[in-house]
Structures are given as C-alpha cells and as structure tokens.
Amino acid sequence: METNIRLGISACLLGQTVRYDGGHKLDRFLTETLGQFVEYVPVCPEVECGMPVPRESMRLEGDPESPRLVTSRTKTDKTEQMVHWAKSRVAELEKEGLMGFIFKSDSPSSGMERVKVYNDKSMAVRKGIGMFARIFMEHFPLLPVEEEGRLHDPVLRENFIERIFVLSRWRELLAGDAGRGGLVAFHTKHKLLIMSHSNRHYQEMGRIVARVKQIPQAKLYEEYGKQLMDGLKLRTTAKKNTNVLMHMAGYFKEQLSSDEKAELLEIIDLYRKELVPLIVPITLINHYVRKFGQSYLRDQYYLKPHPVELRLRNHV
Ligand code: SF4
C-alpha cells in the first residue's frame, strides 16, 4: 500500500539483530499490521554511535534528570559518545519527515519513560528516559511518540495511530499553502475528533480559528498546530466518545423513525456502559450518514480516523 507516513522506530523492534546480546525484539503488530500503512525509518542508537554487536550491556546511573550512560560490568562511561551522535542524528532525522517514533521500552538508550536509573548503591528507580529518546523528544516536542509495550494497550494504540494520521494530514496542509481557508476546512473536518479527546482544546482551537483574519498566518498555524497535537495526546474515554455520539445522533432527529432513534440511543448506551465496542455505534451512524447524505458528518474524520484494517475500535 502507498503511504506517506514515515515513522522512526528502534531498529531491534523490526527484527534487526542489533541488541547487546546479538538478538532482536521483533514486534509482529508493528511489522505485519501497522507496517502495511507506514514506512519505518529504523534507528539503533547504540550501534549507530559506534558500538559493536555483541557488546556489554549498559544502564543509566546517577541523577534521574541527567543520568550517565555506563556499561554494566566494566563501568565505561558512554555518555559523551551517545550524546554527540544523538545530537547530529536528530538534525539528520529532520529531513526524513517523520510523523512519530516508536521506542523500545526499558532501554537506557531508547526507552521513552520509566527506564531504570541506578544510584551508587546499585539501587534502581524507574524514573529515567533513554539517552537518545530524551534528545529526540526535546528536538521534536510535538511529534507523537510511543513505546512498543504501551502500544499493546488498545486505548494508547488508537491514540498514537490517530495522532500520526492527523499529523500526516496537518503536514499535507502546511505543504500545500492552502492559506487561512485551508485551516478553517481542516478544523471543520476534525472537530468531532478533537472533541473526543479534549473539549478544552476544542474550544481553544475554535477561538483560534475565529480570529483567522486577525492573526498573521504563520502564527495562526503555529498556535493551532500546537493545540492540535497537545489536545490529541489526551486519551478518549467512553464518556467523551458518548458525548460525541450523542451530538452526532442529533443530526438525524428529523429523519429517523422513533423506533430507529430508540435503537440508536440504546446502542450508544451499550457503548457507554462498555458492553459493545465503539465500532458498533460508529457503524450504525455511518450507515445513516450514507443513507441520508449527511455531508457535515460524512466529512468528519472522527468517523474514519484511520484504516479499518487496523481494527482499533473493536475493543471494549
Ligand atoms: S533498544 Fe535501542 S539501542 Fe537497544 S538494540 Fe534496540 S534500537 Fe538499539
């Protein structure tokens, strides 16, 4: 399948044998399922910064806020080597047009959060960030990032994938020079999706769009883009989705018979109680959107935020 979505990824997750022990950490969801829709840009910080395979294992030591990267047995400090390489690698990655990054959890180089940091008594606290992951996230603060372990949680998985698809459309808009009108159209189609994550961000973005003629275009896009990526980071919940579903049901007040209305509300309520997955009310609403040619809802990305083949809304 053709795709314009490029994601950075810790190379061992693709099955590359780059780990300290010569092994890999192949993740089949990432390679076989998500891999059909994205193109991966593999990065192995330890190998790319000049370490061999196999090599001595490493760990973070010292202050969890700015730890050192040290080999476990011989205590060789690799911090400078890693930081020097990482700074030039993130600058290079700017040219790759990445929409996000999937990190290998628990790694002192690649872990995104809760990596063990050891003190001088060899006691560990799970408060660290892998050395490359930290430099990457500081360099690309708005890019969606996740770890392979967290992507096994269906809510976090959908959240991450939704964000990369939204970012891809946002970048397309920025590249196309669609002007102020382009921003208004983008906002209109993403309204319900944003609402399903954060009503506060939805309101704020509405205020930004309302000032579309008063703010210089570059500032307008910058402010909107930041709100967009910050808002979508917040997880959807059954309660937030139920609000959006009820809002959509309101569009069919005139067309549905009382029996159809009752059935729709019943199904939304079953979803609210987490007895059926989100895909069930969404499928019924999509059916009515088609049947009645409801153009505002038809254009809402909320109803088709990512490829159905990913089956992201099939969980309860
Ligand atoms: S976790 Fe990171 S540093 Fe370690 S093997 Fe995988 S990609 Fe390389």
Side-chain angles (χ1 to χ4, degrees):
M1 174 184 176
E2 267 206 27
T3 173
N4 59 354
I5 295 186
R6 290 165 69 75
L7 286 185
I9 189 166
S10 298
C12 56
L13 295 174
L14 294 182
Q16 294 186 13
T17 49
V18 284
R19 289 197 17 115
Y20 72 97
D21 57 1
H24 60 74
K25 280 284 173 184
L26 175 67
D27 185 303
R28 292 199 184 277
F29 168 74
L30 298 179
T31 52
E32 290 171 16
T33 308
L34 187 57
Q36 295 171 51
F37 304 98
V38 303
E39 187 186 332
Y40 289 122
V41 177
V43 180
C44 176
E46 292 175 14
V47 168
E48 289 186 30
C49 83
M51 299 180 198
V53 182
R55 59 186 170 277
E56 208 185 323
S57 66
M58 265 166 290
R59 64 188 207 175
L60 296 175
E61 290 187 0
D63 175 5
E65 288 304 309
S66 62
R68 316 285 303 168
L69 181 65
V70 182
T71 60
S72 309
R73 194 170 43 80
T74 58
K75 299 290 169 205
T76 314
D77 193 326
K78 299 283 188 185
T79 311
E80 301 316 322
Q81 183 178 343
M82 178 60 77
V83 168
H84 182 257
W85 165 83
K87 286 188 173 160
S88 73
R89 186 67 165 113
V90 290
E92 258 174 40
L93 285 172
E94 272 179 26
K95 297 180 215 125
E96 298 281 359
L98 298 182
M99 301 292 170
F101 203 107
I102 301 173
F103 290 110
K104 169 72 190 75
S105 54
D106 297 327
S107 154
S109 307
S110 301
M112 187 187 98
E113 59 172 36
R114 304 189 71 248
V115 178
K116 284 184 184 163
V117 184
Y118 292 83
N119 64 17
D120 48 10
K121 296 189 179 66
S122 258
M123 305 279 283
V125 284
R126 281 197 165 273
K127 286 190 172 171
I129 301 176
M131 204 142 272
F132 168 67
R134 182 191 291 271
I135 291 170
F136 182 93
M137 291 190 286
E138 283 170 1
H139 195 83
F140 299 106
L142 293 182
L143 269 198
V145 290
E146 257 310 347
E147 290 186 333
E148 94 293 355
R150 285 166 49 95
L151 286 174
H152 293 165
D153 174 316
V155 175
L156 297 178
R157 176 186 287 189
E158 183 180 7
N159 181 289
F160 176 69
I161 292 171
E162 211 169 80
R163 283 187 288 149
I164 60 178
F165 278 92
V166 171
L167 182 60
S168 160
R169 293 192 288 273
W170 176 244
R171 291 255 181 91
E172 227 169 80
L173 177 74
L174 294 181
D177 189 26
R180 291 176 157 84
L183 180 72
V184 175
F186 180 95
H187 182 64
T188 305
K189 291 181 184 175
H190 287 84
K191 270 186 180 176
L192 299 184
L193 190 68
I194 299 161
M195 207 194 259
S196 72
H197 287 267
S198 166
N199 211 34
R200 181 168 60 81
H201 286 83
Y202 170 74
Q203 305 282 349
E204 182 51 35
M205 290 159 84
R207 280 192 282 274
I208 295 173
V209 172
R211 290 183 293 144
V212 77
K213 295 209 173 95
Q214 292 134 38
I215 316 177
Q217 193 172 311
K219 189 163 168 46
L220 184 74
Y221 271 75
E222 190 193 320
E223 277 186 29
Y224 186 92
K226 183 166 181 341
Q227 289 290 330
L228 177 68
M229 295 321 292
D230 279 350
L232 293 181
K233 244 191 247 172
L234 301 172
R235 295 179 207 175
T236 59
T237 59
K239 192 170 168 215
K240 292 182 205 172
N241 278 319
T242 301
N243 283 341
V244 176
L245 293 168
M246 292 299 287
H247 179 84
M248 287 194 290
Y251 280 83
F252 301 106
K253 266 201 306 250
E254 309 300 325
Q255 292 110 327
L256 297 188
S257 68
S258 52
D259 190 45
E260 286 169 329
K261 263 185 231 165
E263 184 197 25
L264 178 56
L265 295 182
E266 232 169 73
I267 286 176
I268 293 175
D269 202 47
L270 285 176
Y271 166 72
R272 183 184 64 78
K273 293 177 180 150
E274 303 187 30
L275 295 171
V276 298
L278 182 57
I279 193 71
V280 176
I282 291 282
T283 304
L284 184 56
I285 288 176
N286 266 325
H287 165 74
Y288 289 136
V289 166
R290 234 173 130 150
K291 181 169 175 187
F292 300 115
Q294 218 312 321
S295 57
Y296 173 72
L297 293 184
R298 188 192 56 219
D299 292 343
Q300 288 298 312
Y301 280 110
Y302 181 76
L303 287 171
K304 44 178 177 334
H306 32 59
V308 282
E309 292 84 345
L310 289 169
R311 298 189 294 143
L312 293 172
R313 286 172 159 180
N314 299 21
H315 61 89
V316 278

